């Protein structure tokens, strides 16, 4: 366990000599907005270390320098949350990276396969996950916790080598690179508070409702960040929805809402919500946000979607790629309704070659599906 800056610098210098390193983190975020980093695990082909970021006086600068070293490939499993921590603590995004969960999807291991499932299938090793949800902030950590944490990066070395080799054999390395570009994009982790409303899935009918939703969601985002508490501790999603619909102009009206706790309307937060509502409703008509119309799908689109689902399953099984990484249900709906004009990932890059072109041919009547020899196959029309 590394507990000093000097030891961390020495370890990172040694790790930087490798072509790739595997990385994982343990953290808590049940009561905070930003994840509380509790442990860092790293391994190279010849070395493995645990770093205690809670050790008194330790400076993580050598770790962040290693994350910024473009000569070293950083390997994660389900990288998004680990990278979010690195971004928030070090103001950088590791590059280049390799996410074994995404690679496994491209290689046909299924949708969002877990780390222990992947280790079991590739290495035939069972990982004890009983320490996964333990309190990683308490010291000292138990031997069982340390063994579990280390296993998250030691087995990952072999998983990476196996998946990387398969990608090379099957000519799919460029497919993965497209996915990593998204994970390495700053906007993936640096959402502006004014865009926080996009996390909410409520369907609104009026521009005024959407304006209130945007203003209140932005206030909640700033408040949660400033206080370092989860968004729901500031104001729950259901309350934002009700505020957007009812648009309370004063504290009395706010207090009448079903989702607002008794007395909360008289708090500083309640006052801020009322101010956000009034600011949103004061927008000139020309500046009110546009509510996208829910267009009715053309006749036959529903049936086309069902055919596209069959085609997606057929292609994913044929090429050994998880359906989820090729196209989702929203993609299929848009392709069925808009055809070539659909702005979806399934009609770009390697996905278009694999699935997008056949999908367009299917809805244009150029190919069909038939059941023959106990299997579904495409047939030219």
């Amino acid at each position: 366990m590394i507990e000093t800056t000097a030891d961390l610098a020495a370890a990172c210098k040694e790790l930087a000599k490798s072509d790739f390193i595997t990385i994982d983190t343990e953290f808590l975020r049940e009561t905070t907005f930003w994840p509380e980093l509790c442990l860092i695990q790293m391994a190279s082909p010849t070395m493995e270390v645990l770093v205690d970021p809670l050790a008194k006086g330790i400076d993580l600068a050598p770790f962040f320098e290693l994350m910024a070293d473009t000569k070293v490939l950083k390997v994660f499993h389900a990288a998004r949350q680990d990278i979010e921590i690195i971004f928030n603590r070090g103001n950088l995004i590791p590059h280049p990276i390799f996410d074994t969960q995404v690679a496994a999807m491209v290689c046909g291991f299924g949708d969002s396969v877990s780390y222990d499932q992947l280790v079991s299938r590739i290495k035939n090793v069972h990982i004890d996950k009983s320490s996964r949800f333990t309190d990683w902030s308490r010291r000292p950590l138990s031997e069982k916790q340390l063994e579990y944490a280390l296993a998250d990066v030691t087995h990952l070395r072999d998983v990476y080598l196996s998946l990387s080799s398969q990608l090379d054999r099957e000519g799919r390395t460029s497919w993965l690179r497209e996915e990593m570009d998204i994970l390495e994009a700053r906007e993936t982790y640096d959402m502006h508070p004014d865009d926080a409303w996009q996390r909410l899935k409520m369907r609104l009918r009026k521009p005024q409702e959407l304006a209130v939703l945007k203003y209140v969601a932005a206030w909640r985002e700033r408040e949660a960040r400033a206080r370092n508490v989860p968004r729901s501790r500031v104001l729950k999603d259901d309350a934002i929805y009700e505020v957007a619909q009812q648009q309370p102009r004063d504290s009395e009206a706010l207090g009448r809402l079903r989702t607002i706790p008794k007395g909360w309307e008289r708090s500083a937060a309640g006052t801020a919500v009322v101010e956000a509502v009034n600011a949103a409703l004061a927008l000139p008509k020309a500046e009110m946000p546009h509510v996208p119309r829910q267009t009715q799908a053309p006749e036959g689109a529903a049936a086309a979607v069902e055919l596209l689902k069959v085609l997606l399953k057929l292609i994913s099984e044929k090429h050994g790629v998880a359906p989820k990484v090729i196209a989702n249900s929203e993609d299929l709906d848009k392709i069925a309704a808009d055809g070539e004009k659909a702005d979806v990932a399934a009609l770009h890059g390697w996905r278009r070659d694999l699935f997008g072109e056949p999908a367009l041919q299917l809805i244009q009547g150029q190919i069909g599906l038939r059941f023959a020899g106990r299997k579904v196959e495409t047939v030219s029309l």
Side-chain angles (χ1 to χ4, degrees):
M1 176 73 81
I2 291 176
E3 298 178 327
T4 69
T5 305
D7 287 344
L8 176 59
C12 289
K13 183 178 180 180
E14 189 64 29
L15 289 167
K17 296 177 183 178
S18 301
D19 293 333
F20 77 91
I21 57 174
T22 56
I23 309 158
D24 190 36
T25 62
E26 304 300 339
F27 57 88
L28 300 176
R29 74 179 312 169
E30 285 82 2
T31 61
T32 60
F33 183 89
W34 306 111
E36 180 186 357
L37 180 59
C38 300
L39 191 68
I40 301 171
Q41 308 99 282
M42 294 185 287
S44 70
T46 59
M47 179 184 185
E48 52 265 352
V49 298
L50 300 175
V51 182
D52 186 359
L54 302 180
K56 186 176 180 180
I58 193 169
D59 185 348
L60 297 180
F63 169 70
F64 295 127
E65 289 174 10
L66 178 60
M67 294 299 95
D69 189 341
T70 58
K71 298 188 296 294
V72 181
L73 177 68
K74 275 70 72 173
V75 179
F76 300 87
H77 182 83
R80 191 177 291 259
Q81 291 193 86
D82 298 312
I83 295 178
E84 180 188 13
I85 291 173
I86 296 169
F87 175 74
N88 288 324
R89 290 288 297 268
N91 193 30
L92 64 93
I93 296 175
H95 173 79
I97 64 171
F98 185 106
D99 189 328
T100 55
Q101 186 177 71
V102 178
M105 294 170 70
V106 173
C107 291
F109 283 84
D111 292 336
S112 304
V113 62
S114 67
Y115 177 67
D116 54 317
Q117 291 173 332
L118 203 52
V119 171
S120 176
R121 293 175 64 177
I122 289 178
K123 295 193 63 180
N124 196 28
V125 172
H126 173 71
I127 295 179
D128 181 4
K129 303 292 286 185
S130 59
S131 296
R132 181 179 182 184
F133 296 111
T134 56
D135 186 349
W136 292 98
S137 67
R138 298 187 65 178
R139 295 295 185 270
L141 295 172
S142 68
E143 285 299 318
K144 188 175 182 181
Q145 284 177 302
L146 297 177
E147 290 175 4
Y148 162 83
L150 202 57
D152 274 352
V153 289
T154 52
H155 296 303
L156 191 56
R157 294 178 294 201
D158 293 326
V159 169
Y160 158 68
L161 291 171
S162 176
L163 292 174
S164 179
S165 177
Q166 184 174 341
L167 289 170
D168 286 341
R169 287 197 311 270
E170 298 175 358
R172 298 181 181 181
T173 301
S174 61
W175 297 10
L176 184 72
R177 183 66 259 161
E178 290 183 30
E179 305 309 301
M180 296 304 96
D181 287 343
I182 297 173
L183 284 176
E184 292 179 5
R186 190 179 184 90
E187 54 268 26
T188 301
Y189 310 97
D190 192 19
M191 174 179 281
H192 193 279
D194 290 344
D195 296 325
W197 66 276
Q198 296 177 4
R199 294 177 179 272
L200 304 169
K201 303 300 182 182
M202 182 183 185
R203 290 187 177 182
L204 301 168
R205 299 179 179 178
K206 302 176 182 178
Q208 292 86 352
E209 292 176 345
L210 182 55
V212 171
L213 183 83
K214 286 186 172 185
Y215 272 58
V216 175
W219 166 80
R220 181 181 71 168
E221 188 75 9
R222 293 186 177 93
E223 186 76 4
R225 293 186 182 193
R227 290 165 49 188
N228 194 25
V229 296
R231 296 177 183 88
S232 60
R233 293 280 184 95
V234 176
L235 191 64
K236 295 186 181 299
D237 289 355
D238 288 347
I240 293 182
Y241 297 153
E242 189 176 15
V243 168
Q245 291 178 324
Q246 301 301 322
Q247 301 162 22
R249 303 295 296 261
D250 53 43
S251 59
E252 182 180 352
L254 180 64
R256 289 196 295 267
L257 301 188
R258 176 181 57 84
T259 55
I260 298 300
K262 186 177 181 180
W264 190 85
E265 72 278 6
R266 296 189 296 272
S267 67
T271 300
V273 168
V274 170
E275 290 175 351
V277 171
N278 285 310
L281 296 179
L283 287 173
K285 185 176 181 180
E287 295 180 18
M288 282 286 176
H290 173 69
V291 179
R293 291 185 177 181
Q294 299 295 323
T295 57
Q296 186 174 0
E299 184 179 356
V305 169
E306 296 305 313
L307 289 176
L308 288 170
K309 289 179 181 178
V310 177
L311 179 66
L312 178 60
K313 183 176 178 60
L314 174 65
I315 288 176
S316 68
E317 290 179 350
K318 178 181 179 180
H319 294 279
V321 182
K324 183 178 178 180
V325 81
I326 301 174
N328 57 36
S329 58
E330 186 177 349
D331 291 344
L332 301 185
D333 289 341
K334 290 183 177 179
I335 292 173
D338 302 327
E340 181 72 54
K341 296 180 181 179
D343 184 15
V344 295
L347 293 184
H348 297 281
W350 65 269
R351 292 180 177 86
R352 183 177 184 115
D353 296 335
L354 195 70
F355 172 74
E357 284 296 338
L360 293 174
Q361 292 172 4
L362 179 66
I363 64 173
Q364 292 166 0
Q366 297 171 5
I367 63 172
L369 298 169
R370 70 178 181 185
F371 188 75
R374 298 188 177 183
K375 66 178 182 180
V376 177
E377 61 184 23
T378 59
V379 57
S380 175
L381 302 179

